[in-house]
Structure formats: C-alpha cells, structure tokens
Amino acid sequence: MRKGMAWATALLALPPCLGCAGCSSGPGESESKMTSYTSNESETAELFTVPKDQMAHLEVVTAEKTKLQRVLRLTGSVAYNQFKTTPVFPAIGGPVHEILVAPGQSVQVGAPLLTINSPDYALARAAYIKAKEALQLADKILHRAQDLYTHGAISEADLQQAESSRTQAEADMVSSQDALRALGIKDPDSVAKNTGKTTLQIPLLAPVNGEVVERLVGPGQLLQNGVTQCFTISDMSQVWVLVNVYQSEMPYVRVGQKVEINTESYPDTFHGEISYIAPALDPNTRTVQARIVTSNPAKKLKKDMYVVASVQAGVNPDALTVPDAALLRDTENQPYVYVQTDTNRFARRLVKFGGSNAGRTEITDGLKEGERLVGDGALFLQFKNSLQH
C-alpha cells in the first residue's frame, strides 16, 4: 500500500513533458510503431528516461530460465453425460391429454410422464381383453371336452376341435399382448384391470431413472410415434465438461489426467478426469475437443455453464520466465514488457507468453535469457507513458 501511494505521489510530481524519442512522432503513427522494440531499433524504441530519483519505484529483474510447473487452463462448457441421458419418444401417436411432470423433477423407471389420447390404444386394449376372455373360455371348453372324451361321451374329432380352438385363442392373446408391449405397456394385465378410467388415454412412461431436464411438448400437441421427442431425462449427479485444446497444448493432454474445474458462479473447485480426446480438430477453431467426466454435488453445474479446467501437465525445465507483474497489455490487448536499455532508460517490447505458476510467467517469444526488464513497478512506467501521450 505504501509503495502504491509513493507511485501516485511520484506521478503527480512528473514534469509535463519527459524526454522521449517517440514524442516527435506525428498523430498518424500507430502506438505500436512508436513503442515497439527490436535489437535493430534500440534508438527509435526508446520510450523515455526516468529521473534517477524515481528509479526507486522500479524493480529491475532479469529474464531467466527456471523450472516451471506446466498448468494448462482449458476453457469449455458443461454438457449432459450422454451415457446417462435419454431422449423420451412416444410409442404411439395422438394429442397430449395431460403433462404429469416438470423440468427439475426426479423420476423412476415406469413413472408416467404424460398421457396421450389414442384411439389405437383403445383398440389394442379392447383386442387384448377380448383375446384374454376367449382364451379363458377355450380352456374351459377343452377341459370339459377332455373329460367327456375320457368317459366316451364325445368323439375324438370333437376333442381335436376343442384343442384347435384353444390353440387359436392362445395365439390371438399373445398377438394382442405384443401389440400392447409395442405401445410401451410392459404389463398388459394392468390395462385389463384398469376399468375405472377412460380406455382412450395411454401413459408415456419414464424409460430410465433420472431428472427431467427438458420438456419439449405441451398439452394438446399432436405427437407422432417414434418421431416427436417429449422429454429429456438425465442423471445430473455426473456431467461432462467439454474443453478445447489448442494444437500447441495437445502433447501435454492425455486420457486419465486429473483436472480441477472452476466456474465464476461458485467458489467451489470440482474435480474430474479426462475420459476422451477427439480424433480430429475442429476446422473452424483449429482445436481438438476433450471430454472431462466430473461429479456434480448438489447439481451446481448446469448445462452450457462456462468453466475453466486446469490440467497439471508436467514441468518445463528450461522455461524463460519473468515475474507476473512484468507483463502488461496495450490498448490493442497485445502483451508487452518494459526492457531496460540503459541505466534509467526503458523501451516497450511486444512478447508472447505461455503458462504461469507461482508468480512467474513463461515468455515464449520476444525476450532472451539475461535481458533486464521492469518487474514490480511496470505499471508505474505504463502510467508515465499514458501521461506523455
């Protein structure tokens, strides 16, 4: 805090115009041309001379090679776990009579989700009840015929006729049972017992356990069997995080790596594991997609929520690093540092950077080992530069 106050005091004490090689540039010249620095432009790249009494506000450090823990920060979003997500389609068409569940509601296998008004169901139900009763009657007739034949009261032809009638009745009932099962009725006997309700309505049952995450139809909507998706059910206790991996990061990402996941919505850190890496790059983003499986306590992670996944990707033994405070950005969001060209002279140089860890950032282009630059206090020079321009 004291150092920040000292900087502010020093800024107020600055003269209105400091010696600067770039100050004579016309207004048409871009900022980057005035301040960019290369080894062949050490004179024109000179920004300004800092008075010696203000040098105490600057920490001049050396760009040096150090061991740097390689941490990849991959951006992505939350998605449903497709292995635990099921779209629900009706097995029979007709208008929706009543919606029985809402998104966010947990359901068990076999729970009714909605009811459909279906004449086809009414016909299938009636055919099953008739076939069942016909089979029961055929059984009684066959038993009576067998008893009569044993006592010589009927001929063998009459017994064979009773056996044939029973076989046909059984075939009709099996066919009617299959017709109901094709409509999603797992227990055909249940429809025969349900005599208190209208025979026109058929329930659409949940095929899996989970949470209703989407409702895609409304009352009165006409459904087509096998075509109209009505709901999506997913087990939200475990979700996917889909992240984008750039080509330069691909050598350090592999299946089985542990991942820490953070989001702006919660302070919590979620833990997951990379389970899959796509075999091809996205032609638009030039990235490869990786899938992370993570548990979802309290169901905090929501579909399409933006997240950042941190992957520990080994150690870079020869990373050229500088303090995090040395790295700044210009008005065009270009990263740069202030390089010391003389005792109290500094120039701005555009750089490229990689990962950062423990207060140091890797510089991948723009600096050489041993070069001197401003670390703590780089903002001081940035303020001086803004005052000049």
Side-chain angles (χ1 to χ4, degrees):
M1 180 64 73
R2 291 181 178 178
K3 179 176 286 189
M5 294 176 63
W7 287 3
T9 303
L11 287 173
L12 294 174
L14 290 175
C17 182
L18 298 171
C20 172
C23 291
S24 60
S25 301
E29 296 189 44
S30 69
E31 184 184 55
S32 60
K33 182 177 180 182
M34 290 167 57
T35 59
S36 61
Y37 176 87
T38 67
S39 58
N40 296 326
E41 297 175 332
S42 58
E43 293 297 324
T44 59
E46 206 171 281
L47 281 180
F48 43 73
T49 300
V50 177
K52 293 183 179 180
D53 60 344
Q54 296 179 11
M55 283 294 295
H57 300 299
L58 306 180
E59 177 193 27
V60 180
V61 298
T62 303
E64 57 185 6
K65 290 187 176 181
T66 60
K67 290 184 179 180
L68 185 68
Q69 179 71 42
R70 185 182 289 110
V71 180
L72 304 181
R73 290 177 174 83
L74 311 175
T75 59
S77 59
V78 178
Y80 298 136
N81 185 331
Q82 294 301 317
F83 296 148
K84 297 187 176 184
T85 301
T86 301
V88 182
F89 294 88
I92 194 168
V96 175
H97 173 73
E98 184 181 8
I99 303 291
L100 303 176
V101 295
Q105 185 174 335
S106 296
V107 295
Q108 301 294 319
V109 174
L113 305 176
L114 55 76
T115 55
I116 306 169
N117 287 328
S118 174
D120 292 339
Y121 167 67
L123 292 173
R125 180 180 181 276
Y128 171 72
I129 293 175
K130 290 178 182 179
K132 184 177 182 180
E133 291 179 351
L135 179 60
Q136 291 173 348
L137 179 60
D139 277 336
K140 292 178 181 179
I141 293 174
L142 177 59
H143 290 154
R144 186 182 300 115
Q146 289 172 337
D147 183 60
L148 292 174
Y149 179 74
T150 302
H151 293 85
I154 61 173
S155 66
E156 183 178 357
D158 293 332
L159 175 62
Q160 291 175 345
Q161 180 62 45
E163 290 175 343
S164 176
S165 298
R166 198 270 176 195
T167 300
Q168 292 177 16
E170 182 180 22
D172 289 342
M173 196 187 81
V174 171
S175 176
S176 63
Q177 284 178 329
D178 290 342
L180 285 174
R181 290 192 180 100
L183 299 180
I185 306 299
K186 295 183 178 180
D187 181 15
D189 284 337
S190 64
V191 303
K193 298 175 184 177
N194 187 18
T195 57
K197 297 182 179 179
T198 175
T199 59
L200 186 65
Q201 295 168 9
I202 179 173
L204 174 61
L205 306 179
V208 294
N209 297 333
E211 178 183 329
V212 178
V213 295
E214 289 180 314
R215 192 196 83 180
L216 303 172
V217 296
Q221 182 173 340
L222 182 63
L223 309 182
Q224 291 183 284
N225 62 307
V227 175
T228 308
Q229 182 178 347
C230 300
F231 299 94
T232 302
I233 298 176
S234 183
D235 181 359
M236 292 299 293
S237 64
Q238 188 183 76
V239 296
W240 286 354
V241 171
L242 305 178
V243 296
N244 299 314
V245 183
Y246 289 96
Q247 295 184 63
S248 60
E249 299 168 333
M250 288 175 58
Y252 311 112
V253 178
R254 65 183 185 278
V255 172
Q257 278 180 309
K258 303 298 181 182
V259 180
E260 291 185 350
I261 301 164
N262 296 97
T263 174
E264 294 179 354
S265 303
Y266 307 105
D268 312 53
T269 296
F270 302 87
H271 300 275
E273 181 177 310
I274 297 176
S275 64
Y276 173 79
I277 299 174
L281 272 70
D282 185 319
N284 297 318
T285 62
R286 306 307 302 169
T287 61
V288 66
Q289 190 177 80
R291 179 203 304 155
I292 300 168
V293 179
T294 179
S295 58
N296 187 18
K299 300 179 182 179
K300 291 183 176 181
L301 295 176
K302 309 297 183 183
K303 185 178 184 293
D304 296 326
M305 181 179 284
Y306 178 81
V307 298
V308 176
S310 300
V311 182
Q312 300 292 333
V315 176
N316 185 348
D318 293 313
L320 183 63
T321 63
V322 299
D324 291 345
L327 199 63
L328 302 171
R329 289 184 180 272
D330 62 17
T331 56
E332 298 176 355
N333 205 34
Q334 298 273 355
Y336 69 92
V337 295
Y338 283 112
V339 179
Q340 186 180 38
T341 62
D342 204 345
T343 304
N344 57 340
R345 285 184 174 182
F346 299 91
R348 194 180 72 173
R349 184 184 301 180
L350 298 177
V351 295
K352 295 180 180 179
F353 66 95
S356 63
N357 191 43
R360 297 190 70 84
T361 298
E362 180 184 11
I363 302 298
T364 58
D365 188 36
L367 277 180
K368 296 180 181 179
E369 183 179 9
E371 287 191 290
R372 304 276 288 172
L373 67 153
V374 178
D376 192 16
L379 281 173
F380 175 73
L381 295 188
Q382 188 180 49
F383 289 143
K384 286 174 65 70
N385 190 21
S386 66
L387 288 175
Q388 290 183 31
H389 296 88

